[in-house]
C-alpha cells in the first residue's frame, strides 16, 4: 500500500506580481489586501490649503460700494420706521373724524359747526389744541339755537363774537365740552393750518365757510380752493385737506 505524502497540493509561497495581485506557485490568484487610508478632507490637507491660500476675498472697492448701498437704504428706510409715525397717524385719524363729525352736525341741525385750533406757538404753526363749536350768530327760527337749548352749552369768547354766539359742542361719548389737547397718546404732536384765523366752519349744506362771524350762514366760502392741516411730529407728517367746492374732508399719509 502506497502511503501518500502529506503535502499541500500547491506551494503556498506567495509571490507578488507587478499588477498587485498575489499569486501562488500553482497559479491560484488571490486579491491583494487593501490598505486602509484615513479619510482627510481636501480643505484640511496641506496641498488643498496651499492651493486656496492664494485666492483673494473682497476688495476694498467692493467693501466701499457695499457700505454706500447700506447707507442709502438706511436713509430711505429709517424715516418710514420712525417711532412717531403711529402717534401721528392716530392723531390725524382722530382729527379727520372730528372734522367730519362737525360737518355732519351742521347738516343735521342746519346750524354752522366748525373746528377752531388754539394754543398755537406762532400764527398757524404748532397748534396743540382744537375745539369743536357751533355758531348761532345770525340764526333765526331754529330750535337748536333757542335759549333753552343753549343753556347746557358753554360759550367761549372770541374777538369776532361780541354777542357770545359760539358754543362748544358736546362730545357725544363723554358729554363734556369738545376740546381736544395734544396730551397723553397725542403728546408732542403739532398741528399746522392754512386756515384763516385757524378756524373752519361748515354751513348747513356741509360746505366750508371761513373764519368767525355770521358770514357762514350766507355761504361765504373760503377763498382757497383747498385748505390743509398738517399733523406732524419729528419726521412723521400727515395732512388733512378740506375742499371748498365739494366740502370733501380727506387725508393723505404724507405732507
Amino acid at each position: 500500500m502506497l502511503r501518500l505524502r502529506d503535502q499541500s497540493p500547491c506551494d503556498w509561497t506567495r509571490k507578488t506580481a507587478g499588477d498587485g495581485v498575489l499569486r501562488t506557485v500553482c497559479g491560484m490568484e488571490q486579491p491583494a489586501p487593501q490598505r486602509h487610508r484615513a479619510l482627510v478632507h481636501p480643505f484640511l490637507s496641506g496641498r488643498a490649503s496651499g492651493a486656496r491660500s492664494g485666492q483673494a476675498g473682497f476688495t476694498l472697492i467692493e467693501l466701499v460700494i457695499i457700505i454706500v448701498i447700506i447707507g442709502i437704504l438706511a436713509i430711505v428706510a429709517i424715516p418710514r420706521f420712525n417711532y412717531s409715525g403711529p402717534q401721528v397717524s392716530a392723531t390725524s385719524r382722530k382729527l379727520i373724524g372730528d372734522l367730519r363729525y362737525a360737518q355732519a352736525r351742521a347738516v343735521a341741525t342746519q346750524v354752522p359747526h366748525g373746528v377752531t385750533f388754539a394754543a398755537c406757538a406762532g400764527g398757524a404753526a404748532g397748534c396743540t389744541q382744537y375745539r369743536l363749536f357751533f355758531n348761532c350768530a345770525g340764526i333765526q327760527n331754529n330750535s337748536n339755537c333757542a335759549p333753552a337749548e343753549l343753556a347746557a352749552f358753554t360759550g367761549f369768547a372770541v374777538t369776532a363774537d361780541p354777542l357770545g354766539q359760539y358754543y362748544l359742542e358736546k362730545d357725544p361719548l363723554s358729554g363734556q365740552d369738545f376740546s381736544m389737547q395734544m396730551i397723553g397718546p397725542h403728546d408732542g404732536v403739532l398741528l399746522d393750518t392754512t386756515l384763516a384765523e385757524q378756524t373752519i366752519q361748515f354751513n348747513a349744506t356741509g360746505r366750508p365757510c371761513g373764519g368767525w362771524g355770521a358770514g357762514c350762514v350766507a355761504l361765504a366760502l373760503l377763498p382757497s380752493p383747498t385748505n390743509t392741516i398738517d399733523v406732524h411730529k419729528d419726521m412723521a407728517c400727515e395732512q388733512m385737506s378740506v375742499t371748498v367746492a365739494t366740502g370733501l374732508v380727506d387725508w393723505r399719509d404724507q405732507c
Side-chain angles (χ1 to χ4, degrees), residues 7-17 21-30:
Q7 63 178 3
S8 300
C10 294
D11 187 357
W12 288 97
T13 303
R14 292 181 173 84
K15 295 182 180 180
T16 303
V21 177
L22 293 180
R23 302 180 187 276
T24 62
V25 174
C26 62
M28 297 180 63
E29 298 182 358
Q30 293 182 352

Side-chain angles (χ1 to χ4, degrees), residues 78-219:
I78 287 178
R80 295 184 178 273
F81 292 97
N82 190 281
Y83 73 95
S84 299
Q87 192 177 16
V88 169
S89 295
T91 304
S92 64
R93 283 159 177 73
K94 169 67 175 170
L95 174 57
I96 197 171
D98 292 340
L99 286 169
R100 290 172 176 170
Y101 175 75
Q103 186 180 42
R105 287 288 295 164
V107 175
T109 62
Q110 294 294 290
V111 175
H113 280 63
V115 176
T116 180
F117 296 86
C120 304
C127 302
T128 58
Q129 181 183 10
Y130 66 84
R131 298 176 290 185
L132 269 66
F133 67 93
F134 62 98
N135 175 11
C136 284
I139 299 295
Q140 297 179 357
N141 301 322
N142 189 312
S143 60
N144 294 287
C145 289
E149 293 294 328
L150 296 178
F153 292 90
T154 302
F156 60 99
V158 294
T159 56
D161 181 30
L163 299 179
Q165 295 297 302
Y166 291 87
Y167 297 88
L168 283 175
E169 182 65 51
K170 297 293 184 181
D171 189 322
L173 297 179
S174 66
Q176 302 297 318
D177 292 340
F178 209 128
S179 180
M180 177 68 181
Q181 296 183 356
M182 300 299 105
I183 57 177
H186 310 285
D187 185 43
V189 178
L190 299 177
L191 310 171
D192 297 347
T193 80
T194 60
L195 304 173
E197 301 178 283
Q198 293 81 60
T199 302
I200 185 170
Q201 294 188 67
F202 297 96
N203 62 21
T205 65
R207 299 176 69 186
C209 49
W212 299 104
C216 193
V217 180
L219 198 63

